[in-house]
Amino acid sequence: MVYCKNVLFILGLILALDSYCTTQEINKDEPTPYHDWDYIVYSQRWPITACIDWQEEKEGNTCNLPDDKTMWTIHGLWPTKNGTKGPLFCPSAIHFDPNALEPIINELNSSWINIEANTKPNSFWKHEWAKHGTCASTLPQLDSILNYFQQGLVWNEQYKLSDILTQSKVIPGTEGYTIDQIYNAVKLSTQSTPIIQCTVDRKTKESMISEIQICFNKSLEVVDCDQFQTDNENKLGILTDCSLKKPVMYFAEIPNGVSYEMDYVDSAFKQHLDEHIYYLSIYRLLRFLIWYTT
Ligand SMILES: *[C@@H]1O[C@H](CO)[C@@H](O)[C@H](O)[C@H]1NC(C)=O
Ligand SMILES: *[C@@H]1O[C@H](CO)[C@@H](O)[C@H](O)[C@H]1NC(C)=O
Ligand SMILES: *[C@@H]1O[C@H](CO)[C@@H](O)[C@H](O)[C@H]1NC(C)=O
């Protein structure tokens, strides 16, 4: 019986751990205890990669893509405290109101696009404001919804990433580029160190360029991201999570759009099955232990 209690204890522990892990994941978008920040990470996304990620995430997901197929769109202006992520979700008297964006709605609709089409109208802008804008608004230049979003448009005009990359012959296609080709292209143009982010294609495991970030100080002037960032730096001295060995893909279009969703369903199903088999084997082991010890 002593063994049996131990087994039950372990079972309880497994269940507790399991729900603990799940809860942790759900609550990852929480306010930070600090609200002060040192600089702004201005993040632009490559819509094709964002769309591939979104379509692979869940069956039936659809995308909005810009009319201009070469355009990098705005993701957000993220105030950042030296050496940390965030602050996020700061206390602010200003709650998101889409009407505040009326004067710039056309520009936002073409440059600050919600790629994830099957989500609520305005949800992307609302999220960016709640998570980052509320923290940015301590700066007088960004102290309203309109000012915050307008600044994104200004920088999108000023730092046209497709032009910047094209000048260094980094153009969308199927060949891929080394990470330093991309990094050097941005650095040459902005005279500052950027952050380059990738995602990994769930199906092909290719490294795909997803975001390029340029950093700004509180005078809204461009500064090196690496004077602030401490993580993600690798032996090349580049702030990136992209593959350093494989080519970084910069697709011009969604490759084989349809087959992606099918493959994802298969792999999701397989993962589910694997989990099921895992729990089944624990269950069998426990049953055996209980049988053995009583
Ligand atoms: C902006 O885009 C949304 C979603 O695509 C659309 O519903 C809305 O009518 C557009 N607004 C303008 C002014 O074009
Ligand atoms: C921002 O950077 C510019 C250029 O390096 C500098 O002149 C300015 O003083 C900086 N502003 C702040 C608030 O650090
Ligand atoms: C941020 O951290 C770096 C490295 O620790 C330091 O050199 C820099 O002065 C810091 N900047 C600010 C604005 O605190």
Side-chain angles (χ1 to χ4, degrees):
M1 280 317 280
V2 173
Y3 287 107
C4 186
K5 269 187 195 147
N6 285 344
V7 166
L8 283 175
F9 174 73
I10 291 168
L11 181 64
L13 202 65
I14 290 172
L15 290 176
L17 267 177
D18 195 44
S19 67
Y20 173 77
C21 296
T22 318
T23 324
Q24 287 300 298
E25 255 176 50
I26 291 166
N27 292 341
K28 69 180 170 215
D29 262 356
E30 277 190 342
T32 48
Y34 50 91
H35 308 128
D36 57 313
W37 50 273
D38 300 303
Y39 66 108
I40 293 174
V41 173
Y42 171 61
S43 197
Q44 298 188 72
R45 53 198 330 213
W46 179 236
I48 299 294
T49 300
C51 178
I52 293 172
D53 289 341
W54 180 239
Q55 288 191 348
E56 289 184 354
E57 192 176 310
K58 196 159 139 282
E59 199 195 348
N61 277 352
T62 55
C63 307
N64 290 317
L65 291 173
D67 296 334
D68 175 357
K69 296 287 177 244
T70 67
M71 184 187 226
W72 284 69
T73 57
I74 306 166
H75 191 166
L77 285 61
W78 304 335
T80 305
K81 190 176 162 72
N82 212 1
T84 66
K85 275 210 157 42
L88 307 173
F89 300 102
C90 297
S92 164
I94 310 173
H95 292 282
F96 183 77
D97 173 9
N99 294 325
L101 297 175
E102 205 46 53
I104 54 170
I105 189 69
N106 290 330
E107 291 90 333
L108 289 177
N109 258 7
S110 63
S111 312
W112 201 324
I113 294 179
N114 182 8
I115 309 288
E116 289 88 1
N118 50 309
T119 49
K120 282 194 198 144
N122 299 325
S123 59
F124 180 42
W125 297 336
K126 185 176 176 184
H127 174 80
E128 289 303 308
W129 173 260
K131 187 169 177 181
H132 306 286
T134 52
C135 303
S137 64
T138 52
L139 199 67
Q141 302 97 304
L142 306 175
D143 66 356
S144 68
I145 297 172
L146 183 60
N147 286 347
Y148 176 78
F149 284 87
Q150 199 145 33
Q151 190 59 50
L153 294 173
V154 168
W155 282 335
N156 187 248
E157 269 301 305
Q158 245 166 31
Y159 300 94
K160 284 188 193 291
L161 284 173
S162 44
D163 292 354
I164 288 173
L165 295 172
T166 303
Q167 278 160 20
S168 291
K169 305 203 164 41
V170 176
I171 48 176
T174 52
E175 296 289 300
Y177 296 89
T178 62
I179 184 62
D180 45 328
Q181 279 176 299
I182 298 168
Y183 174 84
N184 289 332
V186 181
K187 187 161 183 197
L188 183 70
S189 169
T190 63
Q191 298 295 314
S192 67
T193 55
I195 303 170
I196 318 268
Q197 292 198 328
C198 285
T199 54
V200 176
D201 189 299
R202 292 178 205 225
K203 177 189 159 196
T204 63
K205 305 290 176 245
E206 280 170 329
S207 192
M208 304 182 291
I209 188 152
S210 62
E211 313 238 343
I212 292 182
Q213 297 163 346
I214 301 172
C215 296
F216 293 85
N217 69 12
K218 286 187 164 179
S219 318
L220 306 184
E221 291 187 75
V222 67
V223 288
D224 289 339
C225 294
D226 66 6
Q227 68 174 311
F228 304 109
Q229 296 271 335
T230 49
D231 52 358
N232 280 358
E233 201 163 341
N234 46 62
K235 61 178 191 292
L236 297 180
I238 298 176
L239 292 164
T240 188
D241 60 358
C242 300
S243 174
L244 304 183
K245 300 189 193 109
K246 292 194 287 182
V248 174
M249 305 313 293
Y250 180 24
F251 289 120
E253 52 194 35
I254 314 289
N256 311 318
V258 181
S259 71
Y260 270 99
E261 291 176 11
M262 294 311 295
D263 281 322
Y264 175 55
V265 172
D266 286 352
S267 76
F269 180 70
K270 188 175 168 302
Q271 194 189 346
H272 186 74
L273 205 65
D274 288 347
E275 261 171 39
H276 191 73
I277 289 168
Y278 172 73
Y279 284 115
L280 202 64
S281 57
I282 291 181
Y283 172 72
R284 289 213 181 106
L285 177 71
L286 288 172
R287 274 236 315 234
F288 170 76
L289 286 174
I290 290 168
W291 170 80
Y292 183 79
T293 53
T294 47

